[in-house]
Amino acid sequence: MESSELDAKYFCFRAQQRVEKNDFKRAINDFTSALRINPENKDIYLHRAKAKVKCELYLKAIEDFNSYLECNSNNVNAFLDRGDCYLKAGSKEKALKDFNEACLLGSELGREKKEYLESFLKKGETYIKKLSKEINHGTTNPKTYFLRAMAYKNQDGGDYDLEINDFNKFVNYELVINDLNKCIDLDPKYEDAYFERHNAKNILSDRYSKKEIDSDLEKYNSIRFKRVNAENL
């Protein structure tokens, strides 16, 4: 056995020890060192992916699951785990595809996750159609536009609490912003619309200036401050 292969095994062994101690960040570093030595060992990608999940690095974990699944397309758990990553990162449609793959490989859990997610997405589509019907009939209720904006945001992504927001690209934030604009036009004091528009513009920061982004947050804080003060009188 060559010394380089021994080194790779050593890093993997130490990484597994660190995983057992919940030291996931350093475990990731060791798996990375092992892959530099032996990039053909796809199992290391799987182990590193699981460590990245523990650190909530969902997009980076998905990259490793992709590398692993290229040569191990019959691993049910890898599809389930990658599907969970897509779901946590915000891409429900991609999660659904992975749960379906697991289902086709005979996974009962994959079938349950697939059916639940299909039901969720169908309800979301029905809700958007209902709101759109009200809007097409000429509603002047700002809440209807706000609710449709939130439905667009939540239908396939847009978790603002995640450290990684790359999956926000799966949401059409221009649709979200357009509905929030209409909501604010109808009610200039609709504070939550300013907050959500600030978040949406921040995600599309290449299209909006810092002044435009910050002004919505300032407006939100101003309206909220006045409301809270009025409530405390």
Side-chain angles (χ1 to χ4, degrees):
M1 186 178 291
E2 295 182 5
S3 60
S4 59
E5 187 176 347
L6 286 172
D7 289 340
K9 286 182 178 293
Y10 166 74
F11 281 119
C12 286
F13 175 75
R14 190 171 70 176
Q16 293 291 6
Q17 287 184 315
R18 286 174 166 169
V19 166
E20 290 173 7
K21 296 176 182 178
N22 296 326
D23 187 359
F24 300 111
K25 289 184 178 180
R26 291 207 290 176
I28 290 170
N29 291 337
D30 277 347
F31 285 132
T32 300
S33 295
L35 281 168
R36 289 196 187 104
I37 298 168
N38 187 4
E40 301 305 316
N41 189 334
K42 299 299 182 181
D43 287 341
I44 302 175
Y45 284 102
L46 180 64
H47 294 309
R48 189 173 68 173
K50 292 180 178 180
K52 287 177 178 178
V53 170
K54 292 293 186 180
C55 295
E56 298 184 0
L57 299 172
Y58 301 119
L59 285 182
K60 293 184 181 299
I62 287 167
E63 291 175 359
D64 281 350
F65 280 124
N66 291 346
S67 296
Y68 174 78
L69 284 166
E70 285 175 2
C71 300
N72 299 275
S73 58
N74 291 323
N75 190 314
V76 170
N77 289 329
F79 279 112
L80 290 172
D81 288 342
R82 189 175 69 176
D84 286 338
C85 283
Y86 277 128
L87 198 57
K88 289 174 182 175
S91 180
K92 298 177 184 66
E93 292 290 351
K94 285 183 175 289
L96 183 59
K97 289 180 181 178
D98 272 356
F99 295 150
N100 185 56
E101 286 293 335
C103 178
L104 292 174
L105 289 169
S107 169
E108 181 64 20
L109 180 58
R111 184 188 65 78
E112 291 175 2
K113 285 177 178 266
K114 170 180 173 286
E115 290 179 355
Y116 175 82
L117 195 49
E118 282 176 336
S119 175
F120 176 87
L121 291 171
K122 187 175 181 180
K123 286 178 182 177
E125 290 171 2
T126 301
Y127 186 50
I128 289 172
K129 287 179 181 178
K130 174 180 175 293
L131 294 170
S132 296
K133 187 175 180 179
E134 292 179 28
I135 289 170
N136 291 337
H137 285 172
T139 183
T140 57
N141 185 346
K143 186 175 181 180
T144 305
Y145 285 94
F146 181 80
L147 291 175
R148 191 173 71 169
M150 295 303 93
Y152 283 139
K153 186 191 82 170
N154 293 322
Q155 184 65 2
D156 192 29
D159 187 341
Y160 293 122
D161 295 329
L162 291 175
E163 290 183 9
I164 314 168
N165 286 310
D166 291 1
F167 270 86
N168 287 315
K169 66 187 178 183
F170 290 103
V171 180
N172 187 338
Y173 276 99
E174 288 297 353
L175 287 178
V176 175
I177 290 171
N178 287 341
D179 273 358
L180 292 173
N181 289 344
K182 186 62 177 178
C183 172
I184 290 169
D185 287 343
L186 291 168
D187 182 0
K189 294 184 179 180
Y190 205 117
E191 62 184 81
D192 287 342
Y194 288 101
F195 181 75
E196 293 294 346
R197 192 170 70 175
H198 161 76
N199 284 331
K201 286 180 177 178
N202 198 41
I203 289 166
L204 301 180
S205 58
D206 58 328
R207 305 181 199 177
Y208 295 91
S209 67
K210 187 175 186 301
K211 183 178 180 180
E212 288 177 297
I213 295 169
D214 291 344
S215 65
D216 276 341
L217 187 58
E218 291 168 4
K219 189 68 175 178
Y220 164 76
N221 287 330
S222 174
I223 295 171
R224 186 173 183 276
F225 179 77
K226 291 176 182 177
R227 176 179 59 79
V228 171
N229 280 349
E231 290 172 354
N232 291 332
L233 289 178

